[in-house]
Amino acid sequence: MSAIVSAGSASLDYDRIRPVRIWLYCLAAFVLLIVVVGGGTRLTESGLSITSWKPISGIIPPLSAADWQAEFEAYQQIPQYRLVESWMGVDEFKSIFWWEWGHRFLARMLGFAFAIPFAIFLIQRRIPKSLVWPMTGLFVAGAFQGFLGWWMVSSGLSELTSVSQYRLAAHLCAASILMMALVWVARTLEPPVSGVVPSRGWTIANWVLVALLFIQIGAGALVAGLDAGFIYNTWPLIDGAIVPGGLFTIDPAWRNIFENILTVQFNHRSLAYLITIYALVLWWRGRKGPGFAGVHAWLPRIAVLIVLQVAVGITTLLSVVNIPVALVHQALAFTLVAMVVAYLSDMHRLY
């Protein structure tokens, strides 16, 4: 028998909407995969290897020697090749091309993975009416993410030798919002949850954690965009001190937050300390407040994952950005913020 539970004035058939829920989780996982491949693309300096944006025809990679030569000649026209990679031949170019092509290919496949099942579920009337427009909004957000990706790449085609760290941060933050939204909607389609109804203050406190994690993702993007992880590879000291000098050498002062390599890395570290302390305080308060039963079982998992993320972050730094470790660090950041959003979505269903 279908598990039908009243939800306000409507009823949700949880067996019937189960495929929709699984689909949304798969989309969130797909976004995570794209983020990891994008991180690899950035760390291998591959992001500028494709110098044009062809949303449809670009899905086909070079198929002949002439095609490869044309792509390589286009790459030779940009500053990154002329000033940094002029040693590179066609064979070396292929290795960076495939990273960027793979990243764009996955992004295109995400569009198909959303649009086709969405249309099928609409025809089958599996999607609750209240979620039709929100899910349409998710599709639009995904398409906009593709535009942001090209906007980011275009910043490195004329004057810079890499993409703008500002645009990289915008691209990564938008991806995190998309993943959080997918997880939130997916959780709303889960069967009812149990647990102590949280106070308004407790809910706000966890939203603050989401905000801190979101800011930290943006700060990490600035670190990546400026290659700040390849400098000051010591811990706990940075440039020989806990609080180094030279944090505000650029005028006006606000630009240091976004453009001073030392300041960017220091801020990323400091936010990590703040988030860790804040999460552990939440865990400690949670023991005395709602406890860890039912929906609140998310909380100790979140605390453990944050501690693990700090350890991986330190390892990334000390290894001078070992690529596999750095990609795990990025994946954990997205997993962590998605987990807190899942906790909040579940708490929302308790009211």
Side-chain angles (χ1 to χ4, degrees):
M1 181 182 293
S2 295
I4 303 176
V5 180
S6 175
S9 58
S11 295
L12 291 180
D13 184 337
Y14 290 103
D15 286 345
R16 182 168 177 75
I17 63 175
R18 184 172 181 269
V20 180
R21 186 169 67 244
I22 294 173
W23 165 63
L24 290 171
Y25 285 134
C26 289
L27 288 177
F30 207 149
V31 170
L32 181 60
L33 173 62
I34 294 172
V35 167
V36 171
V37 174
T41 301
R42 173 71 191 113
L43 290 172
T44 56
E45 302 290 343
S46 305
L48 298 177
S49 58
I50 302 178
T51 60
S52 59
W53 189 33
K54 301 174 181 177
I56 305 300
S57 62
I59 199 172
I60 302 174
L63 300 176
S64 66
D67 292 339
W68 277 112
Q69 188 61 36
E71 289 287 351
F72 183 50
E73 288 176 359
Y75 178 64
Q76 287 178 305
Q77 304 306 309
I78 69 172
Q80 185 183 75
Y81 176 83
R82 296 197 307 269
L83 301 176
V84 181
E85 309 288 5
S86 58
W87 57 272
M88 187 177 287
V90 175
D91 289 338
E92 292 80 10
F93 169 73
K94 289 180 181 180
S95 66
I96 65 171
F97 178 93
W98 284 121
W99 269 107
E100 175 65 3
W101 182 86
H103 184 53
R104 296 192 188 194
F105 177 80
L106 289 173
R108 291 181 174 98
M109 290 303 101
L110 178 64
F112 289 114
F114 189 101
I116 295 173
F118 183 53
I120 293 172
F121 290 146
L122 280 177
I123 293 171
Q124 294 177 338
R125 297 184 178 180
R126 289 182 184 270
I127 299 176
K129 291 182 179 180
S130 62
L131 290 180
V132 171
W133 283 111
M135 287 187 181
T136 302
L138 289 175
F139 179 74
V140 172
F144 181 68
Q145 177 70 350
F147 165 77
L148 280 178
W150 172 247
W151 180 64
M152 177 189 69
V153 169
S154 65
S155 68
L157 299 181
S158 57
E159 297 179 4
L160 303 175
T161 58
S162 61
V163 300
S164 162
Q165 73 272 26
Y166 292 99
R167 298 189 186 188
L168 175 61
H171 188 46
L172 194 64
C173 287
S176 70
I177 291 173
L178 178 60
M179 185 174 174
M180 286 188 284
L182 286 166
V183 170
W184 178 279
V185 175
R187 297 304 298 177
T188 65
L189 300 180
E190 289 280 0
V193 293
S194 62
V196 176
V197 176
S199 66
R200 179 177 176 82
W202 182 254
T203 302
I204 291 173
N206 280 276
W207 275 116
V208 170
L209 180 57
V210 170
L212 289 172
L213 291 169
F214 178 74
I215 294 170
Q216 181 70 319
I217 287 173
L222 294 176
V223 170
L226 292 172
D227 288 332
F230 293 95
I231 307 176
Y232 309 115
N233 299 101
T234 58
W235 185 86
L237 301 183
I238 176 172
D239 198 25
I242 295 295
V243 180
L247 293 176
F248 294 97
T249 58
I250 300 175
D251 188 51
W254 65 266
R255 288 179 53 199
N256 289 276
I257 298 173
F258 306 100
E259 300 176 18
N260 185 328
I261 290 176
L262 177 61
T263 309
V264 165
Q265 193 191 116
F266 176 76
N267 288 344
H268 192 50
R269 294 189 187 200
S270 299
L271 274 169
Y273 302 146
L274 175 61
I275 290 169
T276 303
I277 293 169
Y278 186 84
L280 292 177
V281 169
L282 282 181
W283 172 81
W284 181 75
R285 292 294 299 271
R287 294 176 61 200
K288 297 185 176 182
F292 300 144
V295 63
H296 303 292
W298 281 112
L299 192 56
R301 300 171 194 167
I302 291 167
V304 169
L305 193 59
I306 285 178
V307 173
L308 176 62
Q309 174 68 329
V310 170
V312 174
I314 294 171
T315 303
T316 301
L317 178 71
L318 297 180
S319 67
V320 196
V321 194
N322 174 273
I323 290 180
V325 177
L327 295 182
V328 170
H329 186 51
Q330 188 170 23
L332 283 177
F334 273 67
T335 302
L336 183 55
V337 75
M339 186 178 289
V340 182
V341 166
Y343 179 36
L344 281 160
S345 182
D346 284 357
M347 282 195 291
H348 180 74
R349 291 188 293 132
L350 287 174
Y351 288 102

